[in-house]
Every structure is written in structure tokens, then in C-alpha cells.
Amino acid sequence: MGQRHQLFVIARINGRYRQLCIANHNWLYGHTAIKRCHQIITIFQDPGNRLALEQELLVAKEKAQLIWPATSIEGDPEHDMDVHIRFPFIATCLTLGASFGVDEGYHHGVSIVPLHLHYIERGHSDDGKYGVQEMAPLSGQTYLKAYYDLDDPEHGPRMQPSLDRLNKHPLIPTSTLGDLWPDADWEEPETDAALLEPSDTRDDHASLTAKLGTLSLRQSSTDQILQSLDSPSDENLDLLAQLDQLPGVLSNKLKQRLYEQAKTLEASPYVVAVLKKALEKDVDVDLSPFRTLSAHNLSTIVAHLREHGAMVGLILSDRPDLTEVDLDLILGPVQPCKRLYLLENPQISTQYLTARLGNYELFHSDLFRRALVEDDDNRYKDCPDRQQFDFSATNDLAQVIWVGIPEKMIIKADHIDMSQVEEVESQHGYESGYVRGFKFRRYLTNDIPISAGKAVKGLLRLLQWIVSHEFSLGIASDFGSGVGCAFATTASTMDADNVGALSTSLYAYPRRNDYSRRLQPVATGPPALKTGQWALIVVHEAYDTTPKRMRDKQVEAAAAKGHEKPKYASETVRYALVTPIATPPPAGKRFKIVDVPTYAKEVLGNDEKNVKELEQLMEFWKIQFALIDSDIYEKDDIHDLLENVFSQNDGLTEGNQPALDGEERSE
């Protein structure tokens, strides 16, 4: 087994297992592969990702004949698929699990490959198709034995925790793999792991969305209401008075019947009234299957639930008939919820998303897909996946900046001496993001929606990643992609692996969007940070490109020999949030510097509807930040540092910002 691995996501679709997504990882093997496998499983099992996953599974079931035709088309590896990445949310989950590890400082890019990649029986064929050496499902222990001697004290104890975590999940049986790839000669696995017995699942919408049980009912009243749905009439409106007297019914048998008949329900005031009452307790309201209801009907339901329900998320996925005019009517003038699911809605354009929906936790297929499309794949050069998004009008957090300060610039009392900049030699003898040793990377964050909660969660993930024992600075593109992964999250459940869209500029093209510059003003640079916008600054003091685990060993070795410990042992990571001062004093400080609690209060304001969110956000920050070896940047000399990061145009309220040449900087 070599260092390249392919990762597959499969599911039972209409009675047969199918491939939903495939990723290629060019440098994945051994212990790292075990850890990445566990992280992928963790993401797919996170309750916060369930709804989006289920919606893409429903699409797979309803469009299986199009996606997996009975016969392949010669010369077309994707058959008649209309997009490169058919299930973009699933692909994003797989990408994040395979390429990013917060607690271990891990990052390595992966690429999504054509959906119909075929395995052959052994090795590689002459026509270049991928192959495998071992056609059998392997347990974690059997797999690791191919790389390590697990009886060796250096390897076994270190890898056992990863094996224990992975062994909590059963192994896929050969029968499932044989169903997926029937032409392969599959071998039975060793008996050191339990097998996952395949189980069929119901294909109907109710089983995937409502997850309903059965409770004892007050039979007579319930039967009347259920029967009324077969022939809905406004004469049945008097039955609504009985609904409140039937605890448990609305979230169970009645709601199950509504979803079972969703595609055929006759639109009427009675049906609309029943839906309003039936969905009041739902946190995530799914109106996507009710296709007989007009946009006006749906808007009536949404308006009612905004005032009288528990709705936080609204699902309108897989509605090719839904137009932007319809969506405007459904959502109304007042934002009805925080999360909005619009997966597989082709009539909702990127321009509409950015202009109208920037304040939502947004799930839209194009938003997830475009960061994963290969830039050099000519088959998709005209694909709409490449459309860019600009949420700068609604994002308070506009930029993320990493600053690396060499040990030579840190003098007594932890003071940063910016006058030493000219005396520190460039690490590589040339300047591109370097200022004679003072290094920074400046990235824009305007192509994904970032709420206050998402900004805080992304910052925590970024700090955890940087201070973790495996982190190494590496090249700028790795760091930019790592920032993109850190912010590919949602604020729905703060301490979970909730997956959000990846930033194209950060994850896919970080070098092209890395606006680092020299100390002296240059002709090109990033769009200015304007008044009212915020930038997150992460300051890496006494940084070194060596992974922290290796540095710790070097420190121990120096101590054992009685030598002075290396200078970089004092490495510290700090953060700050900065915004230009509207009217700075003459020759005074141009930026306001705050911590996360202050930032959240300023962004969320004193609006009564944000009080609960602010309290939850601050409690989460207090607990999680205490676990990270980091601190707020409070030194006065950070203002001198900022003057070397920002141009004189930053802080201007209009115009006068540097033009972009569009050229990619060399590393």
C-alpha cells in the first residue's frame, strides 16, 4: 500500500449501494489515514449535518436513473451528469474530514474526482484506471500492520487511542462492496472487527425528514382529522379547535400523514391551517415536499411560524420550480429564521444569494460546490460552479490576517521592536509576503456568509489548529487553505462539527487571494478595510516553520545536554479584532482593537432578538477559549505592527483603494 488513497462515500439508493462522492488524497497513509477516517465518520454522524445530508440523499433517490444510468456513455466518465460534483454538501463533508484536523494541526488538500471512478481487480491497468492491491475490507489494526510493527513500543501505544476510536464503528461487509463493485474478486476480511450488516431504509420523505414514532392517540378525534386530509374542505376548519387537545399527535401520526401525502395534497385554507398548527414545534421546518401549495400558501405558513413557532431553520430544497420571486414572497420582509436550506434549487442565482440572503446560515448547492471544482479541469471551464459570491455587504468580518514575528524582533518585556524589521534577513532571500523576516498573510473572507457566531467559531478552530502540536507554517497556500477549513462551519451548534461552505478564495486559490505586501507601499494590494468592517489578526510571535512536536523534542534534547533552549521555545499565538476608527485623531492610532466579547457585542448590538444568541456565544467562548494556549493582543505596539500590514487606504470610507492586477504572486 502506497501513500495515495481514494476515499469513497456510499449509500444504499433504491435497493442498491451507489457511490456519492470520491476524493483523491495524494499523501495519506498509515496512522494519519486512520485519524482522517475517524474524523470523516465523526462529521457524517454529527446531528448538525443530518438535514443537509438527508436532502441530498433524497435527491439521489429521486434522480437515480439520471445519475446512475443503466448503460454508460462511451467516452464520458460522468455519463449524462450535468455537474462535476453531484452532491456538494456530501463532498464538502468528505473534504473537510480528509484534509483538516483542528486538534492535531493537520492540513493537506484533496481533490474530488469523477463520480464513476471504477476499481479494477489488481494494481493499475494500462489505460490508467485506478486499482487496489487488497480487495478486502480491512480493520484499522490490519491496515496499520502493513505500515508499522504495532508490538514496537514506539508505535503501538501511540496509535492505540486512534484504533480504539475507529473500532467503535463497524466494518463494511464484503457483500456491500460486492454490490457496489460486482466485477471485483472480493476476499473476506480477517475476523478482528465486527461487520456492519446492511439494512434497508424506507425511501419515503417522511422516514428521512420527520423520523417519526407512534404514540397512543385519542382515536376518535385523531381519525376525524386524518380522514379530513383525504378530502380537505374549508368545512373542516372547525376540527382545528381539537388539535390543541391532542398532545403528541401533531408531531407524530398527523405530521407523518401530511408528509406522506405532501405531493398530492390539495391546496386549501384548511390544509394550510393544519400545516401551521402541525409544524409549530419544529425547529427545522421542511416545506420542500409540499409542491401543490403556492408561494402565497407557503408564505402564510412561514409568517405564522415566525410569530408562533419554534422555527430556526427553513428547508426548501430540491425545488426546481421555485423562483426568486417566489422565495421573496415566502421569506417576507422580516427574516423568519437563521438557517435556510436551498440545495438543488437551480433558479436561485448567485447574485440573489449575495444580495438577499447574506444574513442566513446558507445551504445552497452552488455555494458548496464552487470551492471544490478543479481550476485546471477544462471540462468545466464554462460551468456555473465557477460563479463567484460576494457577501461583503452583509459580512462584518471582512479579512483574516496572519502575522509572523521572528524571535529577533521580540525584545525585553515582550515588546515588539518594529525598528528591527530592516535588520532581519528574509527567510528565503527574497520578498513575497516577507518584510525582511516580518511575515504576514492577508486574506479576504467575502465569498462565504459569516455571522458573528460563525466568526467566533471559526476563530476558535483557527487558534486550535495553530497552537496544536502538529502545526507547521509551511507554504502560504497551506495556511490559506487551513484558514478556509477553519471557517467552513456554521454557528448552529457551537461545539460540534457542523459543516458550512468552504471559501473558494481561501481553500481553492489561496495564493491568488493572498494579499501580502512589502513594508514599503506597492502599487497593488487588497481592497481596503473600511470603516465598519472588521479584520481578525492572528499574531504568531517567535514563529518557526518546524512542527511544534519536533521543536519540543529539540528543546528536550537541548535540556538533556545542558544547552540553552532554542529561542523559538517562547513561541506565542495571540489574536485581536481590529476595525478602522471613523475619525482618527491627527497622527493618532487609526484602528480600534478589541477582544471577541467586545466584537460580538458591537456586531450583534443591543437588539432584543440577539440577547439570547449573545449570551450563548459568550458562554461558549469563555469555556472553549480557556482550553487554548492563546490570548488577546493588548500591547500598544500592535498599532505599529498594523501600520506595516495595512495600507494608508484602509479606513477610508469610499474610493481610493489600490487596484488589483489579478496576477498570482510567487512563493
Side-chain angles (χ1 to χ4, degrees):
M1 290 183 284
Q3 87 276 7
R4 289 188 179 92
H5 282 44
Q6 284 75 48
L7 303 105
F8 291 76
V9 178
I10 66 174
R12 191 174 179 86
I13 304 296
N14 298 338
R16 180 181 173 183
Y17 281 95
R18 301 285 192 177
Q19 300 169 182
L20 302 181
C21 185
I22 311 168
N24 184 65
H25 198 308
N26 281 330
W27 199 259
L28 181 68
Y29 62 92
H31 190 201
T32 301
I34 294 294
K35 291 189 285 187
R36 302 275 50 83
C37 183
H38 177 261
Q39 180 61 26
I40 292 169
I41 294 173
T42 299
I43 288 176
F44 276 106
Q45 289 186 333
D46 191 287
N49 299 323
R50 178 181 62 84
L51 287 173
L53 290 172
E54 287 176 350
Q55 288 162 58
E56 290 197 333
L57 287 174
L58 285 168
V59 170
K61 291 173 182 291
E62 293 178 0
K63 300 180 180 179
Q65 293 301 316
L66 173 65
I67 300 171
W68 300 281
T71 58
S72 62
I73 300 174
E74 186 67 26
D76 182 1
E78 295 197 83
H79 307 298
D80 56 351
M81 292 177 60
D82 55 348
V83 290
H84 173 37
I85 300 171
R86 197 62 185 85
F87 305 105
F89 183 79
I90 290 173
T92 302
C93 291
L94 179 61
T95 297
L96 287 173
S99 65
F100 188 65
V102 171
D103 296 332
E104 54 192 300
Y106 177 81
H107 176 265
H108 193 290
V110 301
S111 58
I112 303 300
V113 298
L115 188 62
H116 297 281
L117 175 68
H118 289 286
Y119 271 129
I120 59 175
E121 186 172 353
R122 289 285 188 271
H124 291 269
S125 67
D126 293 336
D127 61 5
K129 289 182 179 179
Y130 284 106
V132 293
Q133 298 295 325
E134 186 78 29
M135 298 298 287
L138 305 179
S139 68
Q141 185 171 356
T142 302
Y143 170 83
L144 285 180
K145 285 179 180 178
Y147 292 95
Y148 314 97
D149 178 3
L150 296 184
D151 294 328
D152 188 332
E154 181 180 353
H155 299 307
R158 178 167 62 90
M159 298 177 185
Q160 193 59 49
S162 298
L163 281 174
D164 291 342
R165 287 191 293 269
L166 189 62
N167 287 339
K168 293 179 181 179
H169 308 288
L171 196 63
I172 298 174
T174 53
S175 59
T176 296
L177 300 176
D179 185 31
L180 190 63
W181 295 293
D183 296 332
D185 183 15
W186 291 98
E187 302 172 6
E188 289 298 324
E190 296 183 11
T191 58
D192 61 345
L195 292 180
L196 172 65
E197 293 298 331
S199 58
D200 201 357
T201 57
R202 294 179 60 189
D203 294 338
D204 60 273
H205 188 278
S207 67
L208 284 173
T209 55
K211 304 292 183 185
L212 305 174
T214 302
L215 301 179
S216 59
L217 308 173
R218 299 182 183 179
Q219 198 64 42
S220 58
S221 298
T222 301
D223 287 347
Q224 282 185 292
I225 298 172
L226 294 178
Q227 291 170 10
S228 70
L229 294 176
D230 295 328
S231 300
S233 169
D234 294 347
E235 297 177 358
N236 296 322
L237 287 172
D238 59 337
L239 290 175
L240 294 177
Q242 302 179 37
L243 296 181
D244 290 329
Q245 303 174 16
L246 301 173
V249 172
L250 295 182
S251 60
N252 291 274
K253 204 164 187 178
L254 174 59
K255 190 160 62 175
Q256 184 176 9
R257 177 67 69 86
L258 286 168
Y259 279 104
E260 287 172 349
Q261 299 181 205
K263 294 181 180 179
T264 58
L265 273 177
E266 179 183 336
S268 70
Y270 174 69
V271 168
V272 171
V274 171
L275 279 169
K276 287 195 293 187
K277 296 296 292 183
L279 301 175
E280 279 183 350
K281 296 181 181 179
D282 283 16
V283 174
D284 291 291
V285 175
D286 189 358
L287 295 177
S288 53
F290 298 99
R291 302 192 180 192
T292 60
L293 301 186
S294 67
H296 176 73
N297 294 147
L298 296 177
S299 70
T300 302
I301 296 170
V302 170
H304 173 83
L305 297 178
R306 183 184 66 234
E307 296 296 328
H308 306 289
M311 181 174 63
V312 175
L314 176 61
I315 304 170
L316 292 166
S317 294
D318 193 22
R319 291 292 301 266
D321 59 311
L322 197 66
T323 67
E324 293 171 1
V325 174
D326 293 335
L327 194 55
D328 264 333
L329 178 60
I330 293 169
L331 297 178
V334 180
Q335 182 172 335
C337 58
K338 293 185 180 296
R339 293 190 297 272
L340 188 59
Y341 295 84
L342 296 169
L343 297 167
E344 297 298 322
N345 284 25
Q347 293 200 63
I348 309 302
S349 68
T350 57
Q351 292 81 7
Y352 180 86
L353 291 176
T354 56
R356 178 74 167 85
L357 306 178
N359 291 320
Y360 290 86
E361 287 179 18
L362 195 57
F363 295 80
H364 187 277
S365 296
D366 289 342
L367 186 63
F368 280 89
R369 183 179 291 124
R370 41 109 214 178
L372 303 175
V373 175
E374 292 292 321
D375 191 33
D376 58 354
D377 196 331
N378 291 326
R379 290 176 300 169
Y380 308 104
K381 62 182 179 180
D382 299 320
C383 183
D385 297 349
R386 295 182 180 278
Q387 298 182 38
Q388 294 299 304
F389 296 79
D390 184 2
F391 292 96
S392 56
T394 52
N395 281 2
D396 296 293
L397 183 66
Q399 300 182 25
V400 174
I401 302 169
W402 175 88
V403 178
I405 302 174
E407 184 272 334
K408 290 184 179 181
M409 292 176 60
I410 301 178
I411 57 178
K412 59 183 179 180
D414 290 335
H415 177 72
I416 295 175
D417 186 0
M418 295 303 297
S419 68
Q420 296 291 319
V421 168
E422 296 296 333
E423 300 176 10
V424 180
E425 294 182 358
S426 172
Q427 180 175 342
H428 295 295
Y430 58 86
E431 295 180 352
S432 176
Y434 292 88
V435 186
R436 303 280 182 92
F438 168 76
K439 182 177 181 181
F440 64 91
R441 301 291 175 194
R442 186 175 179 184
Y443 304 97
L444 305 183
T445 58
N446 61 350
D447 64 345
I448 53 173
I450 299 182
S451 63
K454 186 170 182 175
V456 172
K457 188 173 181 180
L459 169 58
L460 276 168
R461 286 161 60 88
L462 181 60
L463 291 176
Q464 286 174 316
W465 180 59
I466 292 176
V467 304
S468 60
H469 71 285
E470 294 287 348
F471 175 78
S472 61
L473 179 61
I475 61 174
S477 59
D478 278 343
F479 185 78
S481 294
V483 175
C485 290
F487 280 87
T489 181
T490 71
S492 300
T493 304
M494 296 301 292
D495 58 349
D497 287 301
N498 292 23
V499 169
L502 278 160
S503 162
T504 302
S505 62
L506 289 172
Y507 182 79
Y509 316 127
R511 294 190 188 188
R512 184 181 306 171
N513 296 279
D514 171 14
Y515 294 106
S516 305
R517 66 177 183 81
R518 298 171 181 165
L519 178 63
Q520 301 301 322
V522 293
T524 61
L529 183 70
K530 298 190 176 184
T531 304
Q533 293 182 326
W534 292 83
L536 166 63
I537 313 290
V538 177
V539 183
H540 215 153
E541 297 181 4
Y543 76 90
D544 186 87
T545 58
T546 308
K548 187 173 185 299
R549 184 178 62 176
M550 296 175 62
R551 295 199 303 269
D552 290 344
K553 289 184 177 180
Q554 293 170 1
V555 171
E556 292 174 4
K561 295 178 180 179
H563 296 169
E564 183 179 351
K565 68 179 181 180
K567 298 293 185 183
Y568 52 68
S570 60
E571 180 184 51
T572 303
V573 177
R574 306 181 193 276
Y575 85 94
L577 285 143
V578 305
T579 187
I581 297 174
T583 309
K589 298 173 181 178
R590 292 195 296 137
F591 298 94
K592 181 178 182 179
I593 302 169
V594 303
D595 59 3
V596 158
T598 305
Y599 163 78
K601 290 175 184 176
E602 295 211 9
V603 169
L604 292 175
N606 297 318
D607 194 322
E608 187 173 320
K609 67 179 182 180
N610 294 329
V611 171
K612 184 176 180 180
E613 179 184 358
L614 182 60
E615 290 177 352
Q616 292 175 340
L617 196 59
M618 291 304 93
E619 183 64 23
F620 171 76
W621 172 260
K622 180 180 178 181
I623 295 172
Q624 297 297 322
F625 188 62
L627 304 177
I628 303 176
D629 185 17
S630 182
D631 201 357
I632 174 66
Y633 209 103
E634 297 176 325
K635 302 184 182 119
D636 289 339
D637 53 5
I638 191 176
H639 291 279
D640 296 330
L641 183 153
L642 295 178
E643 293 299 328
N644 289 282
V645 172
F646 293 104
S647 71
Q648 292 302 311
N649 290 320
D650 290 284
L652 298 181
T653 56
E654 59 183 4
N656 297 325
Q657 64 186 45
L660 297 178
D661 60 5
E663 295 182 357
E664 184 170 340
R665 286 168 163 71
S666 66
E667 292 301 310

